[in-house]
Amino acid sequence: SYISLTEALIHAGVRTRTRVKIQFVEATDVEKHGTSLLDGVDAILVPGGFGERGIEGKIQAIQYARENRIPYLGICLGMQLAIIEYAPDVANLHGAHSTEFNRAAPHPVIALISEWQDEKGTTEQRTEKSEMGGTMRLGAQEVRLSHGSRSHQIYGPDVIQERHRHRYEFNNRYLQKMMNAGLRFSGFSRDGLVEMIELPTHPFFVASQFHPEFRSPPRDGHPLSTGLVRAARDYHASHLPAAPSA
């Protein structure tokens, strides 16, 4: 089910002339056996998904990447869980979670947004009683990047188009608190929904609400997956054993 992600990483390897070795790790195994399963990796990617299975394992993997300064790319749910991991541990929002998984969360940093604009500027609406397919933010939509951010540096243009497939969004009520705690919000939709986050103090910690793998050209790779592979290569090189002195 993650073939598009696998292909996007291979495309990034072609672009950067890097042999990409992909290791699939079950999030439920991380829950059972801990983050030692991730020892030796040069980057971590948490993809999109639905349902509660493996959520805590994914959060543990994100924390492992953040605290050990391992390159991290979060996609869709991977962005939401990065926020959920950061909120209690750094922003002191204890009990922060998504209403998708915990309706009674004291700090619903991820929630079902009832209204947004599509790429044509038409207002779309949804409720918890709406059918899932009818409540998704779908298709290519405009993303506006913040000047000076890593995301802007990775892409280049001020405005990009990326494809979406999700229901839940970051709750902008917590925007200032999370910013005060050091999280940077580097991309927004035309109506102010969060599209990208990053950690300025981390070598490469970037996450998107959209799905970059859906727009990955085979020869050039997508900017985000290419950025991750470059960061992984740098991380790997920095952890090689020192050459013996002559």
Side-chain angles (χ1 to χ4, degrees):
S1 59
Y2 293 122
I3 189 169
S4 58
L5 278 172
T6 300
E7 292 297 314
L9 292 172
I10 293 172
H11 300 163
V14 172
R15 174 68 175 176
T16 60
R17 297 186 177 183
T18 305
R19 181 176 296 176
V20 178
K21 298 179 181 179
I22 301 173
Q23 177 183 348
F24 293 94
V25 179
E26 284 281 353
T28 51
D29 289 342
V30 175
E31 292 174 352
K32 294 175 184 175
H33 306 295
T35 54
S36 61
L37 294 176
L38 304 173
D39 288 350
V41 302
D42 297 316
I44 293 173
L45 188 155
V46 173
F50 296 95
E52 295 185 46
R53 182 177 179 271
I55 290 297
E56 292 305 317
K58 293 172 186 176
I59 291 173
Q60 291 174 42
I62 294 166
Q63 182 177 15
Y64 181 83
R66 178 175 64 81
E67 293 182 344
N68 291 282
R69 300 177 64 79
I70 298 171
Y72 174 76
L73 177 61
I75 295 175
C76 197
L77 180 62
M79 186 195 89
Q80 296 175 5
L81 295 181
I83 291 169
I84 290 168
E85 187 278 321
Y86 196 84
D89 200 49
V90 183
N92 293 318
L93 295 171
H94 300 292
H97 223 294
S98 169
T99 57
E100 181 178 6
F101 310 121
N102 183 359
R103 294 282 301 277
H107 293 293
V109 291
I110 306 296
L112 187 71
I113 306 302
S114 61
E115 190 173 284
W116 78 98
Q117 291 182 346
D118 64 15
E119 71 278 7
K120 298 178 181 178
T122 303
T123 298
E124 300 282 349
Q125 294 182 330
R126 58 186 167 190
T127 70
E128 291 180 350
K129 296 182 179 179
S130 303
E131 292 185 6
M132 182 175 289
T135 62
M136 285 188 177
R137 191 148 68 95
L138 290 168
Q141 297 186 25
E142 186 178 281
V143 178
R144 301 174 181 184
L145 302 177
S146 301
H147 280 265
S149 66
R150 180 181 294 274
S151 300
H152 188 270
Q153 179 186 9
I154 289 170
Y155 276 97
D158 295 346
V159 180
I160 58 174
Q161 289 274 335
E162 290 288 4
R163 289 175 61 184
H164 297 69
R165 188 177 182 271
H166 65 277
R167 300 177 72 212
Y168 288 78
E169 312 274 358
F170 174 72
N171 185 345
N172 280 355
R173 285 173 46 201
Y174 293 95
L175 188 67
Q176 194 60 53
K177 288 184 178 179
M178 297 291 282
M179 289 174 61
N180 292 345
L183 190 66
R184 179 161 194 173
F185 295 86
S186 50
F188 293 87
S189 68
R190 65 164 67 202
D191 51 348
L193 297 177
V194 170
E195 294 277 11
M196 297 194 72
I197 64 168
E198 59 189 64
L199 283 177
T201 58
H202 192 285
F204 189 96
F205 192 102
V206 179
S208 68
Q209 184 60 78
F210 50 80
H211 287 265
E213 72 274 21
F214 293 161
R215 295 175 66 90
S216 177
R219 178 177 293 179
D220 294 332
H222 187 280
L224 284 182
S225 52
T226 300
L228 179 69
V229 168
R230 286 192 173 119
R233 193 171 60 185
D234 291 344
Y235 180 87
H236 180 81
S238 69
H239 286 75
L240 289 173
S245 57

